[in-house]
Amino acid sequence: MSDEILIHTGLFSPPLVAGRISDKMMQTVLIVGAGLAGAVYARVLAEYGLKVHVIDQRDHIAGNCYDYLDATGVRVHKYGPHLFHTSNQRVVEWLSRFTDWIPYQHKVVARMDGGQEVPLPVNRATVNAVFGTDLKTSADVMAFLKGKTEHRAQIRTAEDHLYAHIGPTLTNFFFRPYTRKMWGTDLQDMDAAVVRRLQIRMDDEDRYFPGDTFQALPKDGYTALFQRLFDHPEITVETGKPFERKMLADHDYCFSSMPIDAFYDYQLGELPYRSIRFHTSRVARAQAPRHVTINYTDDGPFTRETWWHNLPGHCREEGQDVPVTVEEPCDYKDNGMERYYPVKTHDGRYDKLYDRYKMMADAEQNLSFIGRCGTYQYLDMHQVVNQSLTGAGKWLSLHMSNAA
Ligand code: UDP
């Protein structure tokens, strides 16, 4: 559509390692999961001549990045908004071999009681709206918040971080109810890193990812990007195909993005994950707001809504209705075992359990765990791509000769 500005930066994407596969015992690879980690591994290894077999228990590729055209002619991300952002040039260059991009700087507003919408991350306008102040500069905001914050000798929990930076009033407004809904637990139990994902601004910055130099959406959507990633003569993809242990015997190596606890039949206990129930409905276009994402501050069950047609390139038809998706977080067991978010507590108790599973995996010869679920990390897309490029490169180096 007319608002699209296409850019293509994938002109230079050097090989990860020089040489070719020399290990005759490493010819076929099984990849469990056709999501982002699996797709990056598959493509890299196929380009080095390995035969790659990708399976996914879902009936589609692209994992949680999967998107589709809704009946209204608007592209919807089935598993919630995926807004690509990074400052990692290697990641941009590598992905740009498979997609053009539409620049997009994500913005979010929080809806307060009474319907007023204010910027998130918390910035100067947010502070003025909540406290009824008229602070004019960043210095004013900083001085004002100083009187609201609480000293914390050590920042361990999400509450520590927020109380020390914005104080209880803003925390209880924008973070405590949302986090309780999102994680089913209190800020006092969450790792500070979870809320550090959002910046706190004293100025007028209202972009959600202000630190990242590259922010864009794949021009034809994520599913098309994955189709191109998998479009290689050495890659076969089977969807609707759950993993079975006996498959390991038919391949020389396996990269698995499935949850490590499920892989080992929960022998050491369960790793908790949060899931989301997505409620998508259609609304008359004339009634739709101009925002992409609106976060809720109330303590009902829902966290946020996304208006897909407001994302550039997503509205393929100007129909009467547009889709809106409302998110309702829950335990993964209450959503068909669909795992989206690993639970990160301040004491790292589940990370310790993960480490014990990882030791079991390390004892196996031909198996590695990859991706958000396989490594139990709260990773963004660019981090998954980066870790996968690095991981695949290291693995190749172990099995390569330099006689290219
Ligand atoms: N968060 C919050 N209120 C908000 C937005 C985020 O309390 O309005 C907290 C919440 O704990 C959330 C975390 O910050 O899980 C990270 O937010 P982000 O938007 O990065 O979550 P994602 O987009 O990955 O779901």
Side-chain angles (χ1 to χ4, degrees):
M1 308 224 101
S2 56
D3 58 352
E4 294 178 14
I5 307 162
L6 306 185
I7 47 177
H8 192 118
T9 56
L11 302 174
F12 174 70
S13 192
L16 290 172
V17 281
R20 61 188 166 78
I21 288 285
S22 55
D23 187 343
K24 293 280 176 275
M25 303 300 284
M26 278 306 153
Q27 300 295 318
T28 59
V29 172
L30 173 68
I31 294 188
V32 184
L36 198 48
V40 174
Y41 270 89
R43 184 68 193 208
V44 170
L45 299 180
E47 287 182 354
Y48 279 88
L50 284 135
K51 222 165 231 345
V52 182
H53 181 199
V54 184
I55 57 164
D56 200 300
Q57 64 179 359
R58 286 179 175 158
D59 61 4
H60 61 73
I61 59 166
N64 285 356
C65 297
Y66 177 76
D67 56 18
Y68 62 95
L69 266 197
D70 176 79
T72 55
V74 176
R75 180 172 296 127
V76 170
H77 304 185
K78 183 168 180 183
Y79 304 96
H82 281 67
L83 297 322
F84 189 78
H85 59 98
T86 187
S87 296
N88 186 327
Q89 195 53 24
R90 170 175 83 149
V91 168
V92 175
E93 281 163 3
W94 194 82
L95 281 179
S96 298
R97 292 174 51 206
F98 308 99
T99 186
D100 289 337
W101 300 93
I102 306 177
Y104 170 66
Q105 310 261 346
H106 190 47
K107 292 187 181 180
V108 174
V109 293
R111 186 178 288 149
M112 305 205 294
D113 284 354
Q116 189 183 358
E117 288 160 356
V118 296
L120 262 186
V122 168
N123 71 5
R124 188 179 70 88
T126 318
V127 172
N128 278 334
V130 170
F131 293 103
T133 46
D134 186 22
L135 305 166
K136 301 263 192 257
T137 65
S138 307
D140 292 346
V141 177
M142 207 176 293
F144 178 80
L145 285 183
K146 221 169 183 175
K148 303 276 172 209
T149 54
E150 285 186 7
H151 174 70
R152 297 275 158 132
Q154 217 194 349
I155 307 287
R156 282 168 55 243
T157 71
E159 185 186 86
D160 290 337
H161 170 76
L162 293 166
Y163 275 26
H165 288 88
I166 52 173
T169 306
L170 290 167
T171 298
N172 292 335
F173 230 99
F174 296 107
F175 291 93
R176 196 176 300 279
Y178 189 104
T179 296
R180 188 168 279 289
K181 291 182 276 191
M182 177 63 216
W183 299 101
T185 185
D186 191 74
L187 286 168
Q188 286 177 334
D189 195 32
M190 297 304 300
D191 192 313
V194 172
V195 291
R196 271 203 202 105
R197 291 167 56 84
L198 271 76
Q199 289 197 1
I200 290 159
R201 306 294 304 199
M202 305 293 144
D203 55 12
D204 293 330
E205 175 64 75
D206 63 351
R207 292 170 303 161
Y208 209 63
F209 311 112
D212 280 327
T213 52
F214 184 86
Q215 303 186 39
L217 300 168
K219 178 186 155 274
D220 304 315
Y222 287 97
T223 305
L225 162 61
F226 277 75
Q227 280 162 349
R228 291 182 206 126
L229 282 164
F230 287 131
D231 183 14
H232 188 284
E234 298 297 348
I235 301 178
T236 53
V237 181
E238 274 186 282
T239 52
K241 184 103 183 152
F243 169 76
E244 295 170 57
R245 227 170 203 282
K246 64 176 189 231
M247 294 172 181
L248 294 177
D250 300 330
H251 301 84
D252 298 326
Y253 201 92
C254 173
F255 291 99
S256 172
S257 64
M258 74 179 275
I260 201 164
D261 58 342
F263 187 93
Y264 288 112
D265 294 325
Y266 308 100
Q267 285 173 46
L268 304 176
E270 289 171 22
L271 288 167
Y273 287 84
R274 294 296 282 175
S275 193
I276 311 258
R277 292 193 199 100
F278 296 99
H279 304 279
T280 299
S281 56
R282 299 193 181 123
V283 171
R285 182 182 289 266
Q287 280 161 24
R290 65 188 170 81
H291 303 295
V292 172
T293 299
I294 302 173
N295 285 13
Y296 304 152
T297 55
D298 65 2
D299 49 17
F302 307 110
T303 45
R304 61 186 176 191
E305 65 189 43
T306 300
W307 296 86
W308 306 103
H309 68 293
N310 289 330
L311 284 170
H314 277 54
C315 194
R316 313 310 293 186
E317 284 170 36
E318 297 285 335
Q320 259 199 324
D321 292 343
V322 293
V324 56
T325 301
V326 176
E327 298 183 30
E328 181 186 12
C330 59
D331 189 279
Y332 76 100
K333 287 189 211 152
D334 298 328
N335 193 28
M337 308 298 268
E338 289 271 9
R339 297 159 165 95
Y340 301 152
Y341 295 84
V343 177
K344 296 287 168 185
T345 59
H346 71 86
D347 57 5
R349 56 188 181 271
Y350 303 123
D351 296 323
K352 287 173 196 148
L353 177 56
Y354 176 84
D355 289 343
R356 292 176 55 218
Y357 275 116
K358 177 76 173 32
M359 279 166 67
M360 289 172 77
D362 289 345
E364 302 211 34
Q365 288 285 303
N366 294 332
L367 174 64
S368 296
F369 283 85
I370 60 172
R372 202 190 243 218
C373 274
T375 65
Y376 204 66
Q377 295 178 83
Y378 189 176
L379 299 172
D380 288 332
M381 288 181 284
H382 66 107
Q383 294 167 316
V384 173
V385 174
N386 189 48
Q387 285 193 2
S388 303
L389 289 174
T390 301
K394 279 189 184 154
W395 186 90
L396 282 165
S397 314
L398 288 175
H399 299 284
M400 303 214 20
S401 78
N402 285 325

